């Protein structure tokens, strides 16, 4: 069973501590305890890139072949202030992958699907197409059961991941064609931090008419 990194090791290695050499200073979010892992020890999931809703099930790995090998070269051109098309493809592809396959991305993609399922159930209920629950559940309607928390929709996280992977080339195109703001840190005593979801959406300035 492959251990798939949803944040590429080539990215994580850029945050190695010069004191620890081939290790990171890390903080575990669950208990806020610090530890010093290697890049291969964090941000990974068993079979994380495998998705049975897609054929082939590991198709996203083919996409990563055009992204991960060029990461170090892309960083180098960004530091020089002269990113070429290959660097743009690599960095946009990295963002597209993380925003699709990281656990946080899957959680974000799950909530809208749960809302759609609940809205659909309530609509069918209003049309009288869903019979009341059995007496053991108080003969309540599905709307009542959803609202009081007796039942809920449990969405398989692999489904929103599959939707994201199916549109990953679109995400790459969007990220690659947006305006970029590149931050260059020259202060070695105040290093940049990264996380298990190193992407964010920033409000863009409204264009003047």
């Amino acid at each position: 069973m492959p251990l798939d990194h949803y944040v590429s090791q080539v990215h994580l290695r850029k945050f190695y501590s010069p004191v620890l050499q081939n290790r990171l200073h890390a903080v575990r979010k669950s208990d806020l305890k610090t530890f010093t892992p290697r890049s291969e020890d964090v941000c990974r999931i068993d079979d994380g890139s495998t998705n049975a809703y897609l054929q082939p099930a590991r198709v996203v790995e083919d996409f990563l072949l055009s992204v991960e090998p060029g990461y170090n070269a892309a960083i180098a051109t960004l530091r020089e202030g002269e990113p070429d098309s290959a660097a743009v493809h690599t960095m946009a592809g990295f963002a597209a992958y993380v925003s699709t396959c990281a656990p946080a991305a899957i959680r974000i993609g799950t909530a809208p699907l749960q809302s759609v399922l609940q809205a659909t159930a309530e609509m069918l209920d209003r049309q009288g197409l869903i019979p009341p629950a059995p007496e053991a559940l108080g003969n309540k309607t599905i709307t009542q059961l959803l609202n009081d928390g007796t039942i809920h929709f449990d969405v398989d996280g692999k489904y929103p991941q599959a939707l994201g992977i199916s549109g990953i080339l679109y995400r790459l195109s969007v990220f690659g064609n947006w305006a970029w703001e590149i931050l260059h840190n020259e202060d070695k005593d105040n290093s940049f931090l990264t996380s298990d979801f190193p992407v964010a959406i920033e409000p863009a300035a409204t264009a003047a008419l």
Side-chain angles (χ1 to χ4, degrees), residues 6-206:
Y6 52 87
V7 178
S8 301
Q9 291 191 66
V10 287
H11 171 78
L12 294 173
R13 288 173 187 146
K14 296 297 182 184
F15 295 86
Y16 274 165
S17 167
V19 176
L20 301 175
Q21 296 184 346
N22 295 332
R23 289 184 178 271
L24 304 150
H25 286 289
V27 178
R28 186 182 295 109
K29 292 192 294 184
S30 60
D31 55 16
L32 299 183
K33 290 184 178 180
T34 60
F35 61 110
T36 55
R38 301 168 300 172
S39 64
E40 55 263 42
D41 297 329
V42 292
C43 298
R44 66 182 193 179
I45 297 177
D46 291 346
D47 264 343
S49 293
T50 303
N51 194 303
Y53 293 106
L54 301 172
Q55 292 299 324
R58 292 179 62 79
V59 64
V60 74
E61 288 294 308
D62 294 334
F63 170 78
L64 289 176
L65 290 176
S66 71
V67 174
E68 292 182 340
Y71 187 87
N72 290 332
I75 292 294
T77 62
L78 288 171
R79 283 176 174 160
E80 295 168 0
E82 299 179 357
D84 54 18
S85 59
V88 171
H89 174 92
T90 295
M91 301 313 298
F94 170 77
Y97 175 67
V98 172
S99 67
T100 296
C101 292
I106 292 173
R107 290 194 300 271
I108 292 168
T110 297
L113 294 175
Q114 290 172 323
S115 297
V116 168
L117 289 170
Q118 178 154 344
T120 302
E122 292 174 353
M123 179 184 67
L124 294 174
D125 192 21
R126 287 194 298 271
Q127 296 175 359
L129 298 177
I130 301 179
E135 186 176 350
L137 293 176
N139 298 119
K140 294 181 179 179
T141 65
I142 191 170
T143 300
Q144 292 172 321
L145 293 171
L146 287 167
N147 290 337
D148 66 20
T150 302
I151 64 173
H152 68 279
F153 290 106
D154 187 11
V155 175
D156 181 1
K158 284 294 182 179
Y159 188 73
Q161 184 195 49
L163 295 178
I165 292 173
S166 296
I168 201 167
L169 292 180
Y170 171 76
R171 292 185 184 221
L172 183 150
S173 177
V174 169
F175 293 155
N177 286 286
W178 273 350
W180 291 15
E181 181 180 19
I182 299 175
L183 306 179
H184 186 195
N185 183 8
E186 297 180 353
D187 188 349
K188 295 182 179 179
D189 294 327
N190 292 281
S191 302
F192 282 141
L193 303 177
T194 191
S195 77
D196 59 353
F197 191 56
V199 296
I201 296 175
E202 180 183 19
T206 303

